[in-house]
């Protein structure tokens, strides 16, 4: 599958508009498209749309051995998958190069900026740590995948809940979400990315380019900043030569966007958990299954009173956390126990149970 | 194991309350749809008909390429698991039987299905995938012989056969059926079953599922009308 070739007429029209400081979708040159953030019931799953560009992110965790040089730090990995969308620039290798470039920028933003407290991911120093992986899938490419993917990553990290672990001497126990409430990751700051596209030898700048504009740009500068005005990364791609003042203007523009988005991300995740909070954790450890024909079982998200059936809420289903914790790289399997928590005999779930994963 | 037929206390409105759909959420695809069935959510996109790759050989028919992407991170590697491959093949047979493949020789369509949310067991997600696929093909205006709809039915240990089960009931049962019906004669197009049951239960399940399929077809009509008006 390939994208459509950009015709000369299209190219001329778009460049002319840019010279007149106008854009095809009637935005100003420093206006970004509206961002829409949607969560699903699985913790860490978020679907973000920036205009029409659509990216989904899912966070998952694993217990692994830490690096020898950093014995008490966990790992964070980001993987961007653009294999299902039409090839950018019409050739597979150019597409792959593009994917790798974006992946590199995203990884650098998250890892090198220290936005997650890696030491909080440690379970047993030198032996076991959590390894978090964010899988990003691009569903629709309408320009500026980088910003969209970045927002998705941050939302997913903030939304994700890590299972509780307890260490007793040499025994380690991972609790399911029913026994102990999983806790959020420690995120120190939000490095938000803002992309600037440059045209015609770097003379004209646009923020958040649409796919038509992105195809014709000479190059881009992506500035990753947090709300404390700290720059977490600057990248320049394409064929560009810029002056220092241009970068300074970009930084100022970026800062305003960063403030808005940081508030927005925080707000959205907190709202989500506020909505499901009173229902999920009112009585977490009591499970009574009603025996008589009860047809008051609605979807369960908004209407469960305490005197009726207290359900294991479908939001965080029993085998959910287990299905995300894989045991493939477990150093010492016999010292670890995952709790048995299937009170209601599930149909073969996609959970990676210990028996299936032992190699 | 009880084999009682459950009372059909559901009326039209409650079926439609567990079904939601968004058509064309992905603008760059030829057709796409997001469909919700109770607690399961799927998105599907379709690109095509386009040109064939060199290695593929489909002289007088349409080549169908389906990829099913389960929730990322649910298994370790990035590759598809065997269960997911089975789902892909099952859906491919559905597409082959529905789409008029002779109309597009030497072309291919690419279908990608993402499972976004699955809180219940396999029955609901399978049915959700089928229905999403059908809506996507309708959205892409692919020439089809008929539309199809899938209905999940579970055999609950105490409550008997339940259609469009709620999450709580589905997690409590080990036997389930998924029937796919087509719209013209309401005949069974495909089915998938798992667990312990006998032929009598199977036939009862089909009888329960048929009227529900009719309602799902009505839902398709409503959604497409909304879009075209």
């Amino acid at each position: 599958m390939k994208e459509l070739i950009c015709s000369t007429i299209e190219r001329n029209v778009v460049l002319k508009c840019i010279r007149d400081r106008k854009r095809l979708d009637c935005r100003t040159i420093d206006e970004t498209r509206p961002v829409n953030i949607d969560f699903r019931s699985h913790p860490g799953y978020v679907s973000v749309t920036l205009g029409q560009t659509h990216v989904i992110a899912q966070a998952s965790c694993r217990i692994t051995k830490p690096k020898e040089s950093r014995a008490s730090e966990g790992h964070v990995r980001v993987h961007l998958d653009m294999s299902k969308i039409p090839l950018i620039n019409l050739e597979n290798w150019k597409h792959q190069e593009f994917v790798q470039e974006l992946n590199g920028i995203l990884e650098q933003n998250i890892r090198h900026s220290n936005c997650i407290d890696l030491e909080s991911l440690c379970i047993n120093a030198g032996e076991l740590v959590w390894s978090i992986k964010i899988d990003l899938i691009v569903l629709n490419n309408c320009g500026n995948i980088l910003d969209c993917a970045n927002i998705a990553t941050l939302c997913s990290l903030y939304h994700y809940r890590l299972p509780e672990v307890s260490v007793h001497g040499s025994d380690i126990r991972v609790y399911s979400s029913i026994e102990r409430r999983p806790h959020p990751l420690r995120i120190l700051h939000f490095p938000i990315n803002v992309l600037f596209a440059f045209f015609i030898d770097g003379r004209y700048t646009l923020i958040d380019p649409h796919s038509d504009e992105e195809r014709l740009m000479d190059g881009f500068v992506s500035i990753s900043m947090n709300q404390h005005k700290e720059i977490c990364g600057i990248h320049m791609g394409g064929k560009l030569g810029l002056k220092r003042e241009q970068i300074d203007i970009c930084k100022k523009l970026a800062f305003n966007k960063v403030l808005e988005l940081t508030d927005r991300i925080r707000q959205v995740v907190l709202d989500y958990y506020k909505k499901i909070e009173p229902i999920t954790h009112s009585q977490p450890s009591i499970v009574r299954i009603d025996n008589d024909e009860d047809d008051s079982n609605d979807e369960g998200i908004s209407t469960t009173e305490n005197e009726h059936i207290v359900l294991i809420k479908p939001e965080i289903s029993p085998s959910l956390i287990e299905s995300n914790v894989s045991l493939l790289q477990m150093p010492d399997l016999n010292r670890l126990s995952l709790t048995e928590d299937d009170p209601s005999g599930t149909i073969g779930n996609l959970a990676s149970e210990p028996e299936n994963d032992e190699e | 194991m009880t084999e009682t037929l459950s009372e059909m206390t559901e009326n039209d409105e409650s079926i439609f309350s567990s079904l939601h759909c968004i058509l064309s959420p992905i603008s760059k695809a030829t057709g796409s749809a997001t469909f919700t069935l109770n607690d399961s959510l799927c998105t599907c996109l379709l690109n095509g008909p386009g040109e064939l790759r060199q290695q593929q050989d489909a002289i007088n028919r349409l080549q169908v390429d389906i990829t099913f992407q389960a929730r990322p991170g649910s298994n370790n590697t990035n590759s598809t698991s065997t269960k997911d491959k089975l789902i892909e093949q099952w859906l491919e047979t559905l597409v082959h039987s529905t789409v008029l493949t002779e109309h597009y020789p030497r072309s291919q369509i690419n279908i990608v299905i993402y499972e976004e949310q699955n809180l219940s067991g396999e029955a609901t997600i399978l049915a959700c995938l089928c229905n999403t696929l059908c809506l996507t093909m309708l959205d892409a205006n692919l020439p089809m012989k008929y539309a199809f709809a899938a209905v999940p039915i579970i055999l609950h240990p105490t409550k008997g056969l339940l259609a469009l089960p709620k999450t709580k009931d589905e997690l409590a049962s080990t036997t389930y059926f998924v029937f796919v019906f087509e719209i013209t004669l309401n005949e069974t197009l495909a089915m998938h079953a798992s667990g312990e049951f006998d032929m009598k239960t199977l036939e009862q399940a089909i009888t329960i599922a048929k009227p529900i399929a009719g309602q799902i077809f009505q839902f398709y009509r409503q959604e497409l009308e909304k879009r075209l008006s």
Side-chain angles (χ1 to χ4, degrees):
Chain A
M1 266 184 300
K2 300 183 185 173
E3 280 196 344
L4 295 172
I5 302 179
C6 183
S7 62
T8 322
I9 298 179
E10 262 186 312
R11 191 192 154 84
N12 290 341
V13 167
V14 174
L15 286 178
K16 182 167 189 305
C17 287
I18 291 175
R19 282 200 188 92
D20 296 338
R21 304 256 191 262
K22 291 196 183 128
R23 296 172 94 168
L24 286 177
D25 46 5
C26 302
R27 284 186 279 156
T28 59
I29 57 172
D30 59 352
E31 203 178 315
T32 55
R33 289 171 287 180
V35 176
N36 201 7
I37 304 176
D38 249 328
F39 296 102
R40 305 276 175 251
S41 303
H42 301 285
Y45 194 103
V46 64
S47 157
V48 175
T49 55
L50 178 68
Q52 296 276 12
T53 305
H54 196 155
V55 175
I56 52 184
Q58 167 81 70
S60 54
C61 62
R62 241 155 59 142
I63 301 188
T64 54
K65 231 181 150 82
K67 283 198 195 120
E68 273 151 22
S69 51
R70 308 238 180 227
S72 56
E73 279 185 4
H75 310 129
V76 174
R77 285 173 298 161
V78 176
H79 176 74
L80 178 64
D81 177 10
M82 295 204 331
S83 53
K84 308 288 184 289
I85 61 172
L87 296 180
I88 297 179
N89 289 335
L90 306 176
E91 309 229 7
N92 203 6
W93 62 268
K94 283 193 199 168
H95 182 90
Q96 293 303 328
E97 257 186 25
F98 187 60
V99 175
Q100 279 175 6
E101 191 179 9
L102 290 192
N103 210 352
I105 297 179
L106 285 171
E107 285 246 26
Q108 189 161 37
N109 271 350
I110 303 293
R111 268 214 231 143
H112 296 212
S113 65
N114 280 329
C115 71
I116 299 187
D117 183 12
L118 293 177
E119 302 213 337
S120 66
L121 297 176
C122 178
I123 301 173
N124 212 351
E127 290 175 9
L128 297 175
V129 294
W130 283 114
S131 166
I132 312 276
K133 182 168 187 229
I134 316 268
D135 287 285
L136 294 157
I137 300 180
V138 179
L139 292 185
N140 200 17
N141 173 23
C142 273
N144 206 1
I145 297 179
L146 189 55
D147 284 5
C148 197
N150 192 46
I151 298 176
T153 318
L154 293 173
C155 287
S156 171
L157 284 172
Y158 199 35
H159 189 251
Y160 190 58
R161 296 292 180 257
L162 207 55
E164 283 285 339
V165 179
S166 71
V167 183
H168 299 294
S170 58
D171 284 326
I172 294 142
R173 192 161 186 229
V174 180
Y175 293 98
S176 71
S177 49
I178 317 171
E179 294 184 325
R180 282 204 195 167
R181 191 196 304 201
H183 62 271
L185 298 171
R186 278 210 62 201
I187 302 191
L188 305 170
H189 63 97
F190 290 94
I192 307 234
N193 209 335
V194 183
L195 190 83
F196 295 89
F198 289 86
F199 299 85
I200 315 173
D201 286 340
R203 274 183 274 164
Y204 299 93
T205 316
L206 287 183
I207 203 177
D208 189 13
H210 189 70
S211 62
D212 308 321
E213 295 156 351
E214 202 180 39
R215 275 193 289 194
L216 306 170
M217 65 184 182
D218 283 344
F220 68 89
V221 165
S222 101
I223 298 187
S224 167
M225 218 193 260
N226 64 17
Q227 58 173 345
H228 309 296
K229 247 192 170 174
E230 295 164 338
I231 294 193
C232 310
I234 295 192
H235 296 266
M236 197 157 95
K239 303 173 194 158
L240 265 193
L242 294 177
K243 295 193 195 125
R244 192 190 148 154
E245 295 81 40
Q246 286 176 298
I247 309 270
D248 283 335
I249 297 176
C250 292
K251 279 196 276 182
K252 287 203 186 73
L253 277 175
F255 184 56
N256 298 333
K257 305 293 172 194
V258 162
L259 287 177
E260 283 172 31
L261 273 175
T262 313
D263 282 332
R264 177 87 188 272
I265 295 180
R266 278 228 172 86
Q267 199 54 44
V268 164
V269 177
L270 288 173
D271 282 343
Y272 176 82
Y273 277 105
K274 231 181 274 179
K275 212 170 40 148
I276 72 169
E277 200 58 24
I279 305 156
T280 336
H281 298 292
S282 47
Q283 300 210 29
S285 50
I286 303 174
V287 176
R288 271 177 284 127
I289 299 181
D290 220 326
N291 278 329
D292 36 278
E293 296 295 308
D294 200 339
D295 41 346
S296 73
N297 40 5
D298 322 349
E299 230 189 357
I301 292 190
S302 48
T303 63
T304 303
E305 294 94 20
N306 283 341
E307 63 262 18
H308 286 297
I309 309 167
V310 174
L311 297 173
I312 304 166
K313 290 325 284 180
E315 269 87 323
I316 305 183
S317 84
S319 41
L320 213 73
I321 301 289
E322 270 75 78
S323 66
N324 282 336
V325 176
S326 92
L327 302 178
L328 257 193
Q329 288 192 16
M330 297 303 308
D332 275 316
L333 217 56
N334 51 6
R335 288 193 306 151
L336 205 98
S337 64
L338 266 188
T339 58
E340 216 64 51
D341 71 333
D342 273 342
S344 52
T346 66
I347 308 171
N349 233 328
L350 302 164
S352 50
E353 278 123 72
E355 307 88 281
N356 298 344
D357 282 337
E358 263 170 278
E359 297 201 326
Chain B
M1 198 173 348
T2 56
E3 293 172 334
T4 53
L5 226 78
S6 73
E7 293 279 316
M8 294 284 289
T9 52
E10 292 160 314
N11 43 14
D12 280 359
E13 289 81 37
S14 71
I15 299 269
F16 293 144
S17 68
S18 44
L19 305 172
H20 292 285
C21 125
I22 304 174
L23 288 176
S24 301
I26 298 173
S27 59
K28 288 229 163 170
T30 314
S32 56
T34 299
F35 184 75
T36 310
L37 180 66
N38 282 335
D39 276 332
S40 295
L41 218 159
C42 292
T43 300
C44 176
L45 61 91
L46 189 149
N47 278 309
E51 58 176 24
L52 271 183
R53 289 199 299 263
Q54 295 245 325
Q55 305 95 335
Q56 289 163 323
D57 184 37
I59 300 177
N60 50 2
R61 55 177 179 79
L62 182 67
Q63 167 93 14
V64 177
D65 236 334
I66 297 199
T67 312
F68 169 59
Q69 175 104 22
R71 266 188 324 122
S74 52
N75 63 350
N76 278 341
T77 56
N78 285 336
S79 61
T80 343
S81 71
T82 42
K83 195 181 276 185
D84 297 343
K85 275 258 179 320
L86 190 65
I87 295 179
E88 278 178 22
Q89 284 185 344
W90 190 62
L91 292 174
E92 192 174 331
T93 59
L94 266 180
V95 176
H96 271 294
S97 71
T98 323
V99 172
L100 299 168
T101 51
E102 305 84 28
H103 285 213
Y104 296 102
R106 296 177 299 281
S107 318
Q108 72 163 348
I109 54 175
N110 290 310
I111 301 181
V112 189
I113 307 195
Y114 299 96
E115 166 216 339
E116 293 204 18
Q117 177 176 302
N118 180 22
L119 297 166
S120 12
E122 295 187 356
T124 314
I125 193 68
L126 264 180
C128 191
L129 291 171
C130 284
N131 292 332
T132 319
L133 182 60
C134 182
L135 276 168
T136 307
M137 293 200 287
L138 289 171
D139 185 57
N141 296 322
L142 222 55
M144 295 163 43
K145 290 182 204 138
Y146 31 65
F148 54 86
V151 183
I153 303 219
I154 56 159
L155 183 56
H156 195 268
T158 49
K159 295 187 198 170
L161 289 167
L162 295 172
L164 292 184
K166 302 291 174 198
T167 306
K168 180 180 80 137
D169 296 328
E170 191 165 343
L171 291 174
S173 56
T174 52
T175 305
Y176 68 87
F177 309 96
V178 175
F179 298 108
V180 185
F181 296 100
E182 44 97 1
I183 195 172
T184 50
L185 303 167
N186 223 10
E187 304 239 331
T188 319
L189 200 57
M191 69 165 273
H192 179 72
S194 168
E196 227 181 280
F197 55 92
D198 57 5
M199 288 310 291
K200 189 158 150 253
T201 322
L202 182 65
E203 281 159 27
Q204 277 174 351
I206 297 186
T207 342
I208 305 181
K210 280 196 180 171
I212 308 226
Q215 291 176 9
I216 300 186
F217 290 131
Q218 238 180 320
F219 175 75
Y220 287 177
R221 255 191 212 105
Q222 271 179 6
E223 286 298 315
L224 288 171
E225 269 172 12
K226 256 190 255 180
R227 196 187 161 211
L228 297 171
S229 61

